[in-house]
Amino acid sequence: MRDEDQPTRRLYARRAAPDGDTSEANELAQWLRARVGGRSLRQLEGLFRSLPGPVPGPGRTQWNELLNGRKLIHPALLDEVVRKLVPPREQRLHREHGRALLRAAQDAARLAAGPSSAVPGMGREGMAGLDDALQGRRRVRATEQSIDGFIRVVLLMTTELSRECRDLREERDRALSRLREVEATENAQRAAENRKCEAENQRLLDDVVERLAGSEQQLAEFEERLDLAVRKKQEAEGLRAVASGQLTEGDASPGLGPGGEGAGFLPAPRPPEYQYFLEIADAQLEIYTAELDAAREQITGSPAPGPNPPEARVIPGQVVTDPSAERTDNGSGIHGSGTGSATATTPGSTSHPGHRGDGPAADGTGGRDTGRRSALVGAVCLALLAGGGGLVYYNLDKGPPDYVLADSPTLADATARGEIIIGVKKNQPGMGVTDDDGTSNARGFEVDLAKFILEEAQFKGKIQFKEVVSENRETGLQNEQYDMILATYSMNDKRKKKVNFSVPYFRTGQALLMRRGEGRKVSVWEDGEWAEKKIDGITDLPDNTDSCTVKSTSLESMKSSEHGEKFQIDPDGVKTSYAECILGLLDRKYEVISTDAVILAGLAHDHREELVVLPFTFTSEAYGVGMRKGDPALEYLTCRAIGKSIEEGKWKKYYDDHLKEIMGNAEGNPPEKPGCEKLSRKHQQDARD
């Protein structure tokens, strides 16, 4: 920072009151002091080194006399003071006031010099008339000054009232806009909740109807089986009665005689129907038991106790049997006690129910073992068709399913807390703005994008937006003060060593913000004074330009060897917020502010009559969502949501709502839709394999 720009104590704090010859001269000196402000005599000498025409600029001694009322200011110097030190909109008023004070001081000086020196050869009466005329002129001047002062007060009050009215109108418009946004959001939320409730109720109703239909079908099947069993029992009882009758008749018939060839009838065998039905019931019981055991094994993952052979185990989709199970069944046939046969024969089998060992039941597979195995296969197939019987599985050909919210440690922890904390900027119009507390009423492009990302990830908890400053973003994530950060966070290799980033959601570049001049010119400090210059590129910027920024990638770029000679950055020029830089630029403490173009456009929007963002950039920046390392699920879900916002037009809506007016009504250009396949669970598993 140059010496003449160093803060100085104001003149009235280190100088006595003006001590000119007349009160008018003192009043003129006070006016001049108010215009030059706290500038030192050396600064004033350098600032007004030369004046228009042949008039030379005053030295420090002359400036001292002018500021103390001992000498009257030259009209040309008065005009230069107003031109250089007074805002353009107020120059005319201050120039007229200064000239009026100068004329009054000149008249007072002539009057103080004595009447005889005013007009030589004039008599006493003439001198008296001249004195009266001068006194009258002084009264007129005093009246004019009073009127001028009153007019100035009225103008200032009018200006202040106009500003207050404009601010009140803007505040009213903002309040109405916020009210409409809140109403729209509440209506949308209520509608979404109603749709969600209706969908859930309909799902529950469909589930109940489906279960009721299944129960009715099972009941009908059981009733049909019961009727069939009753009919078969009745048939068996009838056959038994017939067989008993035939047996009675055979016993009563005479034989051919003892030792004869046809010695009577053979005794009729007792009907086996009861034995048949016992075996059928036993087989049905085994089938039902096998179904229950298979379902129990699918649910618990362990072999179920019961009559199933211990060597048989169930795997979804197949039955695996130990080779030792292929053994020969040596149990008794059905013709016997009927309590424990190993070969459950069914009606219509090739093996007669009264024989053993000749039919299929004797080959080691056994009718009952075959029925049991068929029952197990059928039960397992039914379980898989019904959804796996509660098992979690996936298709091996398609790979594992995509990440969901529960796979992300960050989102899972936030869900358990009921709240997620998102870091945003407090005062970056268009991108992120909060109220003074840094947490409430968050709004901006990045705020809306964060809400959309969490909505797509199915996060149902509270979203808490919290202010974050540029230099604390990495530590804030590492220390878990924030779960995610959307705060104009430029991605680079240095930061990626500490945190992870999503795919880019916004692209911009570093630009310059300066005081507006005439046309396309801007205000710069050259050769000891403010001048206007046209700057079309970074090379046109004067060397050692007093600059302001915050501790971020912008500061690193300004200090780089490529641009380092253009920017003079004192420790006082590195702020914690860009709002401090704006105040310094408006007070001419700095010549330029440099950071990303979209940030500068938002900062300059409220001061667009005085400040301008130059139409070029000299770096390329990409913003990403900052997150902690070790959370691939959050990276994938964020990537998918950003791509969907671009594809469905949400990105453009957020830009139009918050940035289009700030960016001079320029159309927004979203990044190319990202490909998220490399972040999916399947791709990462394939890479590990």
Side-chain angles (χ1 to χ4, degrees), residues 141-190:
R141 293 297 182 192
T143 303
E144 290 177 350
Q145 292 174 8
S146 300
I147 294 174
D148 289 343
F150 177 74
I151 292 174
R152 286 197 302 274
V153 171
V154 172
L155 290 175
L156 290 174
M157 293 178 63
T158 303
T159 304
E160 184 65 24
L161 289 174
S162 299
R163 185 182 299 109
E164 290 180 359
C165 290
R166 183 189 63 191
D167 294 341
L168 289 174
R169 285 194 295 270
E170 293 178 353
E171 183 65 25
R172 179 201 62 191
D173 295 339
R174 287 194 295 269
L176 290 175
S177 177
R178 288 196 297 268
L179 180 60
R180 287 192 292 268
E181 291 177 358
V182 170
E183 291 177 348
T185 303
E186 291 178 350
N187 292 336
Q189 291 176 348
R190 283 196 295 269

Side-chain angles (χ1 to χ4, degrees), residues 263 409 565 626:
E565 74 281 357

Side-chain angles (χ1 to χ4, degrees), residues 77-342:
L77 178 58
L78 185 147
D79 292 340
E80 279 298 294
V81 168
V82 172
R83 186 179 69 83
K84 289 187 176 182
L85 303 182
V86 177
R89 288 176 293 184
E90 302 176 7
Q91 287 182 2
R92 180 178 177 183
L93 181 63
H94 285 282
R95 185 181 295 110
E96 291 177 357
H97 186 205
R99 288 177 179 176
L101 293 175
L102 178 59
R103 288 194 297 270
Q106 289 172 343
D107 292 342
R110 284 195 295 269
L111 184 61
S116 58
S117 62
V119 182
M122 183 177 292
R124 180 174 298 176
E125 294 180 357
M127 295 305 298
L130 180 60
D131 291 341
D132 293 339
L134 290 174
Q135 292 291 341
R137 184 173 181 178
R138 292 181 65 181
R139 287 193 294 272
V140 170
R141 293 297 182 192
T143 303
E144 290 177 350
Q145 292 174 8
S146 300
I147 294 174
D148 289 343
F150 177 74
I151 292 174
R152 286 197 302 274
V153 171
V154 172
L155 290 175
L156 290 174
M157 293 178 63
T158 303
T159 304
E160 184 65 24
L161 289 174
S162 299
R163 185 182 299 109
E164 290 180 359
C165 290
R166 183 189 63 191
D167 294 341
L168 289 174
R169 285 194 295 270
E170 293 178 353
E171 183 65 25
R172 179 201 62 191
D173 295 339
R174 287 194 295 269
L176 290 175
S177 177
R178 288 196 297 268
L179 180 60
R180 287 192 292 268
E181 291 177 358
V182 170
E183 291 177 348
T185 303
E186 291 178 350
N187 292 336
Q189 291 176 348
R190 283 196 295 269
E193 291 176 357
N194 291 337
R195 289 193 298 270
K196 182 179 178 181
C197 291
E198 291 176 358
E200 182 66 17
N201 292 336
Q202 185 63 40
R203 186 188 66 80
L204 293 175
L205 179 60
D206 294 342
D207 184 54
V208 170
V209 171
E210 182 179 357
R211 291 167 58 188
L212 180 61
S215 300
E216 291 176 348
Q217 182 178 359
Q218 291 180 357
L219 179 61
E221 292 176 355
F222 291 149
E223 290 178 349
E224 183 179 355
R225 289 181 182 180
L226 181 61
D227 292 341
L228 179 61
V230 170
R231 288 197 302 271
K232 288 187 176 183
K233 180 180 179 182
Q234 293 173 351
E235 292 175 359
E237 290 177 348
L239 290 173
R240 182 177 182 182
V242 172
S244 298
Q246 292 177 350
L247 181 60
T248 303
E249 293 176 358
D251 292 339
S253 299
L256 295 177
E261 295 181 0
F265 294 97
L266 293 174
R270 293 185 178 276
E273 282 75 9
Y274 280 118
Q275 196 74 18
Y276 273 120
F277 281 104
L278 286 174
E279 294 296 336
I280 291 173
D282 191 19
Q284 290 287 348
L285 179 61
E286 293 290 343
I287 291 174
Y288 296 149
T289 304
E291 290 176 355
L292 292 175
D293 291 344
R296 186 182 298 109
E297 182 175 354
Q298 287 182 346
I299 294 173
T300 62
S302 59
N308 280 346
E311 64 272 8
R313 56 193 177 92
V314 181
I315 297 177
Q318 61 181 333
V319 175
V320 179
T321 306
D322 190 275
S324 62
E326 302 298 331
R327 65 188 185 278
T328 302
D329 194 342
N330 294 324
S332 61
I334 62 173
H335 186 69
S337 64
T339 59
S341 68

